[in-house]
């Protein structure tokens, strides 16, 4: 670096830089620190506020404490089936095998899960999981997890950079047969706007999801696809971007809280979905894939619920209210479309008639509180009104299953921003275990990669280009307001790339994305960089536009319906071509390129495990 | 000490009562001042009065246990009444009580007057580390209060059975019973009592008598959650019981016999 | 749902919001259109999107889970996302100011790093070895009490309202948030360290005069004072203020936990406020 650049930028050096301090980021940082690496953790907001706190129902791990028949193989099968077999089998396998240890480890760090009568970790039922499998703490499991990781993490030697936004990854370009290699990151303190240059031998991206690109979503402001966009711009590939999970139960009324999550735990504790006529809707929407294991009438479903919530292993088949999320979300969508919805365009979720007021308050305290305070609804006396809300992206950065490394050397990804683990649809509870398992693996391999490697050298031109990009919105004399552009994008994504898609809609959606992208390039920001909300929003827009485009393009390329991707014009799940490929998006100088990648072969012994079920 | 906190607050201090609150935040402290002052005045007057504390089997809680002060009279301490000897017991319990501390630190010391309301001009504040460090001995006052509670239960039973003509329930009996019930709710809901009974246990499932202590702790917790209500209700009931007995004993009222 | 379709006719609400930074500021008046269920954070966002794009406010989940949007509304510390506009009388302006116990950064955003530094001083959880079968057996009744404290979302409203921090600025006082964390550790069935000396000397529990403002403002309804701080005071008293207990413990030779030591870790980096050229803070 030249001396002027040297003086201009604050500089920090780490072996491993973790971007994102949710569950995956913290777990990665803890592991990398334990490996002896010097670790920096960057978070866009304060430590411990990441979207992981919103996870409610629990963390899926085949501990077998409640149902001794459970083991990793069953969990693996459930995960693959839930993902409609588009998962990277190796990731699903590692996840199912390692999740129990990761959960037990949290206990060693102070986590307090609810207990069974014999004093072990209690597990609850959840959609798509054959046995009660979710270790939980009432309906605030994510908070317990992030607080545990945070309190353990701050004592493990990591350096935390709070309220710092990374705008670019710094990459040593590929040369003479050697692939591109990570060397650092460029960003700014949100408080002062002052620029920061990080030198890092390896980087773990753990930035979470992209829910803020949709009008009705359950995500916090941070979920703007930063990691996906940063990796994409740095040359990594995005995969499975067409698969967006709409959680079936978000609040629909009042407008202020539209989309706010209602945990699947409500149904896990016995809640049922009904239409305006009081009819339980889910019996009409049982797909063939789940027909054998799902109750097709109320008495059997109720018997299963009664027995499995009281710790008896039930011989009855599972209630359809706990089918995987994509199925339930589309069922609600269909009911509303057919005119059988609730007054505000959802359906009813009823727990008050199924459990005592005392049980509801003890098992679902946050839900009780949330409806009471924000919705004027007492859920111990009245049903809730619920509807689908954009919740989770199965897609993300394409990584190697065993190391979580992307195709850029030294660039790792874990958690929601990485792809492959969940296939076409994620099962509830599998994200918290995903964070732990792959957070650890990415941290471990990032530290190993950094070990013995020399500190990277920086390129002044690259940094100055990054600086110009950040300052540009201040240089313009006039331009559109980034907040209004964001509103526009959310609307268009919901309309054209939403829960049910079609060729025409996706094409129109892409036109809008291009139009909004063009306007975003002209954004003007007033004032200075001192904690300037409009300035922050301008960069979130860049990232959301990249992931939105990838999502729409990938959705147009997949001509079938599967999991979190439903096409009106191709309503069936393809048993041929599309069951064997993942859609991949990558950056080229001329724009986004879409390609297909063949799913890796499943080895014989894993095939046996899949067929046992 | 190294590693002290570095980021100090910068907003200017608010003057006493300075706040953006729009509700009647002063009502609570004002009521506390009024009620506590009235009680202290009444109790002091009654302690000095030294008469009209007994009628039939009724005995005023201000004078129970009824100690003989004849010796004091002989040594020239003529002003001494039995109440003066015993009142410091319950008074110390209430003075060091975890609820009353809140009430009077707010109302009398304005530390703070109410939540989010400015205190008096900058002053030295040591909380309960220096002058008030004795508050940590609340448990000893609690032991004394438990002894008094036993005595007052005995008094209440005497007010039923202690009559020359056999068992007897009058309005005064009910007043005394109500009083001792409220006092029990207050005393047994004490934070120190809660700690003693089970609060100090970390693992009920493995501690000696753990299951029992957990159950007792849960019961005490129910009372503890209503400690404020019991504190005020029992304060009123003590004063009113004394007042009732005083009026009956001095002939202003006639006790109504119920049974 | 009493507000079913009512209230769709738009009404306006008045707000007064603090705008400024460490060099000064004032309450600026705004008007916003209200809609059913609107919370104060919605109003602030509305102002930000349509009137003042530079308005600084910290928020994340907008569902009362993350504890980011702490501020003072009509002088009371509250989460903006959990405070309904309809809570206040129509026509009366609603005053929104930043937490006053912490240094202001800008508008409604304050520097709460003090809390994160305090957290680092607390000796971490140190469990006993696992049981023979690799689990740790604990009954629900053993942990009910501390699960209440673990509900804490670290909004720091309790720290803001506590007069020991707000008015007396004691830098050797952990504050309610961290006293309940210390209580959690002290009551944890698996923990093996004795932090009571630190609680008394370094975390200043004696400064707490149990006036319960922390409990009043806690958005999670944690009974901070009665269930956390007072039991902790009693535990400290067992060890340091109760002669009988002290003698009894000497005589009975009860098992002693090793004493924990204060953690000394370097502070996390913070932005310096020296401008670095360009259009940094002016």
């Amino acid at each position: 670096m030249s001396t002027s650049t040297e003086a201009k930028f604050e500089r920090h050096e780490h072996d491993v830089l973790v971007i994102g301090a949710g569950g995956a980021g913290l777990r990665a940082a803890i592991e990398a620190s334990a490996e002896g690496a010097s670790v920096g953790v960057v978070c866009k907001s304060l430590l411990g506020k990441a979207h992981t706190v919103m996870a409610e129902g629990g963390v899926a791990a085949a501990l077998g404490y409640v149902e001794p028949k459970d083991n990793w193989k069953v969990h693996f099968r459930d995960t693959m089936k839930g993902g409609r077999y588009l998962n990277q089998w190796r990731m699903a396998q590692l996840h199912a095998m390692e999740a129990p240890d990761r959960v037990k480890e949290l206990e060693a760090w102070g986590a307090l899960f609810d207990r069974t009568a014999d004093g072990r970790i209690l597990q609850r039922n959840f959609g798509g999981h054959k046995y009660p499998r979710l270790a939980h703490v009432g309906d605030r499991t994510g908070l317990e997890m992030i607080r545990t990781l945070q309190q353990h993490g701050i004592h493990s030697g990591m350096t935390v950079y709070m309220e710092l936004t990374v705008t670019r990854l710094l990459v040593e370009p590929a040369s003479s047969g050697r692939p591109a290699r990570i060397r650092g990151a460029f960003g700014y303190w949100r408080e002062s706007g002052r620029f920061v240059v990080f030198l890092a031998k390896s980087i773990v991206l753990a930035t979470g999801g992209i829910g803020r690109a949709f009008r009705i979503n359950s995500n916090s402001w941070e979920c703007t696809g930063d990691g996906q966009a940063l990796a994409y711009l740095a040359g990594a590939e995005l995969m499975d971007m067409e698969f967006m999970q709409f959680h079936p139960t978000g609040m629909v009324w009042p407008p202020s809280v539209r989309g706010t999550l209602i945990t699947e735990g409500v149904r896990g504790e016995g809640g049922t979905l009904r239409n305006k006529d009081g009819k339980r809707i889910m019996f009409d929407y049982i797909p063939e894939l789940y027909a054998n294991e799902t109750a097709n009438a109320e008495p059997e479903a109720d018997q299963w619920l009664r027995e499995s919530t009281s710790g008896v292993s039930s011989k009855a088949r599972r209630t359809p209210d706990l089918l995987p999320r994509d199925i339930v979300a589309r069922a609600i969508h269909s009911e509303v479309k057919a005119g059988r919805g609730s007054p505000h365009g959802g359906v009813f979720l009823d727990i008050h008639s199924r459990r005592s007021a005392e049980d509801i308050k003890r098992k679902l305290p946050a839900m009780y509180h949330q409806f009471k305070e924000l919705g004027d609804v007492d859920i111990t006396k009245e049903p809730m009104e619920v509807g689908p809300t954009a919740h989770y992206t199965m897609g993300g950065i394409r990584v190697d299953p065993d190391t979580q490394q992307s195709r850029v050397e030294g660039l790792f990804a874990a958690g929601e921003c990485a792809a492959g683990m969940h296939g076409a649809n994620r099962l509830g509870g599998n994200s918290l275990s995903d964070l732990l398992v792959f957070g650890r693996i990415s941290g471990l391999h990032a530290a190993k990669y950094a070990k013995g490697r020399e500190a990277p050298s920086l390129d002044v031109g690259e940094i100055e280009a990054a600086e110009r990009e950040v300052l540009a919105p201040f240089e313009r004399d006039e331009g559109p307001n980034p907040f209004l552009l964001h509103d526009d994008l959310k609307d268009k994504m919901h309309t054209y790339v939403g829960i049910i898609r079609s060729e025409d809609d996706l094409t129109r959606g892409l036109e809008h994305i291009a139009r909004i992208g063009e306007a975003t390039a002209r954004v003007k920001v007033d004032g200075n960089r001192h904690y300037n909300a409009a300035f922050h929003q301008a960069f979130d827009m860049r990232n959301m536009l990249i992931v939105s485009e990838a999502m729409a393009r990938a959705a147009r390329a997949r001509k079938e319906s599967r999991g979190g991707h439903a096409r009106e014009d191709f309503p069936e799940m393809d048993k041929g071509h599309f069951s064997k490929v993942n859609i991949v998006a990558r950056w080229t100088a001329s724009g986004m390129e879409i390609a297909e990648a063949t799913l890796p072969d499943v080895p014989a012994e894993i095939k046996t495990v899949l067929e046992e079920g | 000490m190294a590693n002290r906190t570095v980021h100090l607050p910068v907003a200017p201090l608010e003057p006493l009562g300075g706040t953006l609150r729009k509700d009647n935040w002063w009502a609570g402290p004002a009521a506390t001042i009024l009620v506590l002052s009235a009680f202290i005045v009444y109790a002091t007057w009654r302690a000095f009065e030294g008469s009209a504390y007994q009628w039939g089997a009724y005995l005023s809680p201000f004078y129970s246990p009824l100690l003989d002060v004849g010796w004091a009279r002989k040594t020239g301490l003529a002003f001494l009444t039995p109440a003066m000897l015993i009142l410091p017991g319950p008074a110390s319990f209430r003075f060091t009580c975890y609820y009353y501390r809140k009430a009077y630190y707010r109302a009398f010391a304005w530390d703070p007057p109410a939540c989010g309301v400015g205190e008096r001009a900058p002053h030295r504040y040591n909380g309960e580390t220096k002058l008030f460090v004795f508050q940590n001995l609340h448990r000893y006052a609690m032991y004394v209060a438990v002894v008094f509670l036993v005595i007052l239960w005995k008094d209440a039973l005497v007010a039923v059975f202690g009559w020359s003509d056999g068992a007897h329930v009058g309005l005064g009996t009910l007043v005394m019973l109500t009083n001792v019930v409220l006092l029990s709710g207050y005393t047994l809901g004490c934070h120190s009592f809660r700690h003693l009974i089970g609060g100090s246990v970390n693992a009920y499932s493995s501690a000696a008598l753990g299951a029992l202590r957990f159950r007792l702790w849960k019961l005490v917790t129910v009372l503890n959650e209503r400690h404020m209500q019991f504190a005020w209700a029992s304060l009123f009931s003590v004063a009113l019981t004394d007042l009732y007995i005083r009026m009956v004993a001095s002939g202003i009222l006639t006790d109504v016999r119920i049974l | 749902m009493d507000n079913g379709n009512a209230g769709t006719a738009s009404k306006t609400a008045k707000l007064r919001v603090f705008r400024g930074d460490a060099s000064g500021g004032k309450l600026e008046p705004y008007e916003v259109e209200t809609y059913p269920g609107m919370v104060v954070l919605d109003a602030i966002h509305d102002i930000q999107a349509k009137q003042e794009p530079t308005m600084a406010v910290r928020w994340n989940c907008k569902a009362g889970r993350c504890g980011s949007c702490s501020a003072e509304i009509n002088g009371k510390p509250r989460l903006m996302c959990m405070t309904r506009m309809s809570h206040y009388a129509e026509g009366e302006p609603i005053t929104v100011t930043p937490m006053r116990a912490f240094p202001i950064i800008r508008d409604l955003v304050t520097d709460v790093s003090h809390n994160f530094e305090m957290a680092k001083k607390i000796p971490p959880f140190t469990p006993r070895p696992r049981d023979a079968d690799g689990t740790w057996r604990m009954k629900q009744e053993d942990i009910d009490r501390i699960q209440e404290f673990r509900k804490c979302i670290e909004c720091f409203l309790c720290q803001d309202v506590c007069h020991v921090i707000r008015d007396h600025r004691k830098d050797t006082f952990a504050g309610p948030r961290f006293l309940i964390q210390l209580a959690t550790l002290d009551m944890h069935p698996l923990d093996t360290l004795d932090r009571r000396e630190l609680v008394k000397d370094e975390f200043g529990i004696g400064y707490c005069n149990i006036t319960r403002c922390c409990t009043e403002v806690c958005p999670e309804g944690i009974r901070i004072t009665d269930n956390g701080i007072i039991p902790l005071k009693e535990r400290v008293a067992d060890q340091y203020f109760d002669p009988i207990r002290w003698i009894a413990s000497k005589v009975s030779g009860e098992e002693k936990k090793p004493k924990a030591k204060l953690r000394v870790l370097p502070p996390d980096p913070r932005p310096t406020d020296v401008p670095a050229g360009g259009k940094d803070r002016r």
Side-chain angles (χ1 to χ4, degrees):
Chain A
M1 251 199 276
S2 71
T3 41
S4 67
T5 314
E6 190 100 28
K8 202 161 159 191
F9 300 117
E10 179 180 336
R11 228 169 70 154
H12 299 278
E13 221 175 303
H14 291 284
D15 294 334
V16 179
L17 183 71
V18 179
I19 302 175
L26 285 171
R27 188 63 191 81
I30 288 169
E31 196 65 22
S33 299
E35 285 292 303
S38 117
V39 178
V41 179
V42 174
C43 29
K44 214 155 91 162
S45 46
L46 298 173
L47 184 62
K49 308 296 181 197
H51 197 58
T52 307
V53 297
M54 290 294 284
E56 293 164 348
V59 43
L63 294 158
Y65 291 157
V66 170
E67 176 52 73
K69 280 188 287 199
D70 202 12
N71 59 49
W72 78 263
K73 291 177 181 173
V74 188
H75 191 182
F76 171 68
R77 269 201 301 275
D78 290 350
T79 302
M80 292 294 287
K81 187 170 183 177
R84 309 300 135 73
Y85 304 101
L86 220 59
N87 326 49
Q88 301 294 308
W89 66 267
R90 177 63 178 157
M91 286 176 82
Q93 183 199 15
L94 283 171
H95 167 259
M97 289 172 90
E98 293 188 11
D101 282 345
R102 297 287 81 77
V103 170
K104 290 181 198 165
E105 187 173 71
L106 286 182
E107 251 195 325
W109 299 342
L112 286 159
F113 293 103
D114 288 351
R115 315 307 291 182
T116 60
D118 68 355
R120 295 184 294 177
I121 296 172
L122 181 62
Q123 298 177 276
R124 70 156 55 118
N125 284 304
F126 236 57
H129 291 282
K130 187 169 184 189
Y131 298 123
R133 188 177 284 148
L134 270 71
H136 61 276
V137 188
D139 50 8
R140 55 164 193 86
T141 315
L143 173 67
E144 183 71 15
M145 266 181 54
I146 202 158
R147 206 61 84 227
T148 303
L149 292 169
Q150 175 188 348
Q151 286 171 356
H152 183 74
I154 55 174
H155 293 287
S156 69
M158 61 183 72
T159 306
V160 184
Y161 301 84
M162 284 184 228
E163 301 202 287
L164 196 153
T165 299
V166 170
T167 61
R168 281 277 172 173
L169 298 181
L170 304 177
V171 183
E172 203 175 311
S175 70
S176 58
R178 189 184 50 71
R181 190 154 74 189
I182 208 78
R183 59 179 162 196
F186 181 87
Y188 62 88
W189 289 106
R190 296 174 76 81
E191 178 181 330
S192 65
R194 190 184 161 99
F195 296 123
V196 183
V197 173
F198 290 98
L199 279 93
K201 296 172 189 169
S202 58
I203 288 185
V204 178
L205 290 170
T207 55
I210 58 182
R212 294 306 292 182
F214 290 85
R215 190 175 64 229
I216 300 171
N217 71 76
S218 66
N219 288 194
S220 63
W221 71 266
E222 290 191 287
C223 302
T224 51
D226 295 8
Q228 290 90 328
L230 288 171
Y232 168 82
L233 293 172
E237 293 168 319
L238 303 181
M239 188 174 81
D240 291 342
M241 292 302 288
E242 67 275 31
F243 298 115
M244 182 74 201
Q245 179 165 82
F246 287 81
H247 194 291
T249 58
M251 290 176 82
V252 297
W253 188 260
S256 164
V257 288
R258 183 147 201 162
T260 300
L261 189 65
I262 298 158
T263 174
E264 193 166 327
V266 175
R267 282 170 288 140
E269 297 296 338
T272 54
L273 292 164
R274 294 172 193 274
N275 62 20
K276 71 169 189 199
D277 309 319
K279 181 172 178 275
R280 282 175 67 171
I281 62 172
M282 285 311 299
F283 294 105
D284 297 339
Y285 296 93
I286 304 169
E288 198 191 316
L289 186 65
Y290 283 90
N292 286 336
E293 59 195 79
T294 309
N296 55 11
E298 292 194 21
E300 189 180 2
D302 285 348
Q303 183 196 345
W304 179 84
L305 266 172
R306 204 171 42 246
E307 291 175 346
S308 65
T309 51
S310 53
V312 180
S313 48
S314 180
K315 288 201 175 57
R317 292 176 298 174
R318 303 165 54 82
T319 173
D321 287 296
L322 283 174
L323 281 166
R325 288 175 177 173
D326 54 330
I327 298 162
V328 182
R330 277 199 298 277
I332 296 175
H333 185 86
S334 306
E335 286 292 307
V336 174
K337 231 174 160 182
R340 293 190 293 269
S342 67
H344 301 106
V347 297
F348 293 109
L349 173 59
D350 152 23
I351 182 90
H352 74 282
S353 69
R354 322 222 4 128
R355 299 294 289 261
S356 71
E358 190 192 330
D359 275 359
I360 295 170
K361 285 185 201 167
R362 191 168 50 87
K363 289 284 189 182
L364 304 162
M367 292 299 110
Y368 175 74
H369 186 67
Q370 180 174 317
F371 272 91
K372 193 113 194 150
E373 295 284 317
L374 299 175
D376 292 323
V377 171
D378 181 347
I379 65 167
T380 65
K381 296 198 179 78
E382 303 164 74
M384 300 162 238
E385 265 189 276
V386 301
T389 175
H391 182 56
Y392 188 91
T393 163
M394 273 65 73
I397 302 159
R398 187 182 188 193
V399 291
D400 172 69
D402 286 283
T403 63
Q404 298 290 108
Q405 186 167 220
S406 71
R407 73 171 186 173
V408 177
E409 261 196 29
L411 180 62
F412 298 77
E416 190 174 349
C417 76
M421 156 69 202
H422 304 290
N425 172 57
R426 173 177 72 84
L427 296 184
N430 269 2
S431 65
L432 288 185
S433 39
D434 169 4
L435 305 180
L436 296 172
V437 170
F438 295 108
R440 177 185 157 276
I441 293 176
S442 64
L444 178 71
H445 289 281
K448 281 190 170 159
Y449 174 88
K451 217 170 258 180
R453 204 168 279 272
E454 277 189 26
S457 57
L458 292 176
D459 175 75
V460 180
E462 192 184 15
I463 293 170
E464 285 175 349
E467 183 196 13
R468 278 195 302 277
E469 181 187 26
V470 176
L471 290 177
F474 290 99
E475 310 291 340
R476 300 181 187 114
D477 292 328
E478 57 181 289
N481 169 336
F483 291 102
L484 302 182
L485 289 176
H486 182 205
D487 270 353
D488 197 3
L489 177 68
K490 287 200 285 192
D491 257 8
K492 300 303 177 290
M493 284 300 283
H494 225 99
T495 312
Y496 299 116
V497 197
I499 189 163
I500 307 283
R501 300 152 175 178
S502 70
E503 186 79 26
D504 286 352
D505 278 356
L506 290 166
T507 305
R508 207 162 310 150
L510 279 164
E511 285 162 16
H512 281 292
I513 291 168
R515 172 182 60 77
I516 298 166
E518 185 273 326
T520 301
R522 290 186 288 111
V523 156
K524 154 154 183 59
V525 175
D526 284 318
N528 58 41
R529 302 203 322 260
H530 181 208
Y531 220 107
N532 185 334
F535 168 51
H536 302 161
Q537 181 74 36
F539 271 87
D540 293 343
M541 278 304 290
R542 180 197 73 183
N543 299 337
M544 278 188 281
L545 281 160
I546 290 172
V547 291
S548 298
E549 183 183 348
M551 205 181 287
R553 285 193 189 280
R556 206 166 54 165
R558 182 171 288 278
K559 297 186 192 316
E560 63 155 350
S561 292
R562 183 185 292 267
H565 169 66
R567 291 275 301 249
E568 216 168 46
D569 39 358
F570 299 97
E572 296 303 316
M573 190 153 92
D574 182 16
K575 293 203 169 80
H577 176 70
F578 284 110
S579 67
K580 298 186 193 72
V581 292
N582 296 106
I583 311 282
V584 167
R586 57 176 87 96
W587 184 89
T588 70
S590 58
M592 190 177 286
E593 178 186 276
I594 294 290
E596 288 181 353
T598 311
L599 269 169
D601 283 333
V602 181
E605 73 268 22
I606 298 294
K607 267 198 182 120
T608 331
V609 172
L610 281 175
E611 280 152 14
E612 273 167 27
Chain B
M1 257 161 282
N3 200 27
R4 279 276 152 87
T5 314
V6 277
H7 302 289
L8 283 174
V10 294
L13 282 168
E14 275 162 324
L16 175 61
T19 183
L20 289 166
R21 279 178 69 166
K22 291 176 176 172
D23 55 344
N24 298 333
W25 58 266
W26 42 266
T32 303
I33 292 179
L34 222 67
V35 174
L36 276 186
S37 306
F39 180 84
I40 290 165
V41 168
Y42 176 77
T44 311
W45 168 62
R46 281 290 286 150
F48 275 91
E49 196 179 32
S51 64
Y53 48 76
Q54 212 171 6
W55 184 83
Y58 298 159
L59 176 62
S60 158
F62 283 2
Y63 283 83
S64 176
L66 188 55
L67 301 179
D68 179 14
V69 289
W71 54 270
R73 296 256 157 75
K74 280 176 211 142
T75 53
L77 298 169
F79 63 90
L80 202 75
T81 67
M84 291 179 198
L85 291 178
I86 59 114
L87 280 181
S92 69
F93 181 54
R94 287 189 188 251
F95 188 78
T96 58
C97 162
Y98 283 104
Y99 167 69
Y100 281 108
R101 273 143 79 179
K102 164 193 169 179
Y104 64 74
Y105 286 137
R106 282 195 186 191
F108 292 93
W110 301 337
D111 245 334
C115 306
V117 174
E119 298 195 348
R120 17 201 186 112
H123 58 281
R124 279 171 62 109
Y125 171 82
N126 291 310
E128 301 185 336
T129 59
K130 301 255 165 80
L131 180 64
F132 283 91
V133 74
F134 65 84
Q135 304 278 31
N136 284 297
L137 297 174
H138 180 52
R139 55 190 59 190
Y140 288 95
M142 181 268 291
Y143 303 145
V144 172
V146 170
V147 172
F148 273 89
L149 192 63
V150 172
I151 293 169
L152 290 174
W153 269 107
K154 190 211 76 184
D155 289 347
L157 295 177
V158 166
V160 181
F161 302 105
W163 304 86
S164 49
D165 56 347
H168 174 152
V169 175
L171 184 56
T173 318
L174 294 185
V175 167
M176 286 176 70
L177 270 170
T178 309
N179 179 42
V180 77
V181 166
L182 291 173
L183 280 170
S184 303
Y186 173 58
T187 311
L188 303 180
C190 160
H191 293 81
S192 288
F193 188 72
R194 185 174 178 228
H195 174 72
L196 179 81
I197 211 81
S200 59
V201 179
N202 283 355
Y204 296 104
S205 59
S206 55
L209 300 175
L212 175 69
R213 293 186 75 182
F214 178 70
R215 270 206 298 276
L216 290 172
W217 177 81
K218 287 288 263 192
L219 288 174
V220 170
T221 298
V222 172
L223 297 176
N224 182 261
E225 283 167 357
R226 294 159 183 78
H227 204 44
M228 175 180 87
Q229 289 86 334
F230 277 116
W232 289 119
S234 63
L235 191 79
F236 278 108
S237 74
V238 166
L240 290 175
T241 307
D242 174 75
L243 182 65
Y244 181 83
I245 291 169
R246 182 182 181 278
M247 300 224 273
V248 172
S250 55
I252 300 169
L253 277 183
T254 313
D255 185 48
V256 184
R257 180 159 177 176
I258 298 165
L259 284 172
Chain C
M1 279 150 284
D2 50 10
N3 57 356
N5 288 315
T8 38
S10 70
K11 286 179 185 157
T12 46
K14 293 194 181 97
L15 288 102
R16 295 189 304 158
V17 184
F18 179 85
R19 301 294 314 272
D21 55 25
S23 61
K26 60 179 190 219
L27 292 172
E28 297 279 1
Y30 297 99
E31 285 194 1
V32 295
E33 277 187 18
T34 59
Y35 49 81
M38 190 182 203
V39 293
V40 172
L41 183 60
D42 289 322
I44 299 292
H45 280 158
D46 196 81
I47 295 169
Q48 195 182 51
K50 296 178 190 153
Q51 305 175 46
E52 296 278 0
T54 61
M55 163 100 70
V57 56
R58 203 181 255 139
W59 72 285
N60 276 47
C61 75
K62 202 176 163 287
R65 302 293 174 79
C66 74
S68 300
C69 62
S70 306
E72 297 187 10
I73 304 172
N74 282 357
K76 277 195 180 169
R78 302 183 71 109
L79 294 179
M80 286 187 273
C81 71
M82 295 300 280
T83 306
R84 298 272 290 264
M85 297 288 280
S86 55
H87 186 84
Y88 300 97
E90 255 175 67
E92 290 271 309
I94 300 169
T95 307
V96 188
T97 48
M99 291 194 283
R100 84 175 283 126
F102 302 114
I104 183 142
I105 292 176
R106 178 162 162 181
D107 304 341
L108 298 176
V109 178
T110 54
D111 173 5
V112 293
S113 57
H114 164 88
N115 299 295
F116 291 96
E117 296 307 324
M118 187 58 80
K120 293 201 290 196
K121 295 183 187 177
I122 297 177
F125 174 64
T126 311
R128 63 169 162 79
R130 288 178 187 272
D131 297 345
D133 64 353
T135 67
W136 271 303
R137 302 277 172 157
M138 293 182 276
K139 293 284 174 68
Q140 190 60 41
E141 69 246 35
D142 297 334
I143 61 167
D144 269 343
R145 190 172 39 166
I146 44 183
Q147 277 188 336
E148 181 191 3
F149 307 148
R150 301 276 295 182
K151 288 196 309 198
C152 172
I153 57 173
E154 297 202 331
C155 60
F156 304 128
L157 290 173
C158 57
Q159 304 283 89
D160 175 47
V161 80
C162 176
H163 73 121
V164 182
I165 298 172
R166 189 182 180 101
D167 294 307
H168 301 293
R169 298 170 186 190
K170 293 285 181 192
D171 57 2
T172 51
F173 179 62
R177 194 277 165 263
F178 298 103
L179 289 174
I180 62 157
Q181 194 187 330
L182 287 156
T184 309
L185 290 164
D186 205 68
M187 296 175 187
H188 200 300
L190 305 179
D191 190 69
T192 55
L193 291 182
D194 181 357
R195 296 173 183 76
R196 285 178 296 180
E197 189 177 272
L198 296 181
V199 169
K200 178 168 78 75
D201 297 335
E202 301 291 341
F203 298 116
I205 196 169
Y207 286 124
C208 169
N209 67 347
I210 52 174
T211 36
R212 291 180 176 76
C213 286
C214 49
T215 306
E216 272 184 35
V217 302
C218 179
E220 286 294 297
I222 302 170
R223 300 185 68 227
I224 300 173
T225 320
D226 292 281
N227 289 350
I229 299 180
I230 293 173
L232 199 56
K233 275 187 176 242
E234 286 291 311
R235 284 161 181 251
V236 169
D238 279 350
Q239 180 72 16
Y240 296 101
F241 297 107
D242 185 338
I244 297 178
R245 275 296 280 250
W246 187 78
I247 293 166
S249 76
K250 290 282 167 208
V251 173
S252 71
E254 78 184 32
E255 204 185 325
K256 269 209 165 158
K257 294 174 174 180
K259 271 187 192 171
K261 285 205 182 66
L262 197 69
R263 295 280 290 181
V264 182
L265 297 169
D268 281 318
R270 302 244 329 123
T272 48
D273 46 21
V274 183
K279 286 203 180 182
D280 268 5
R281 179 188 222 167
R282 286 193 284 245

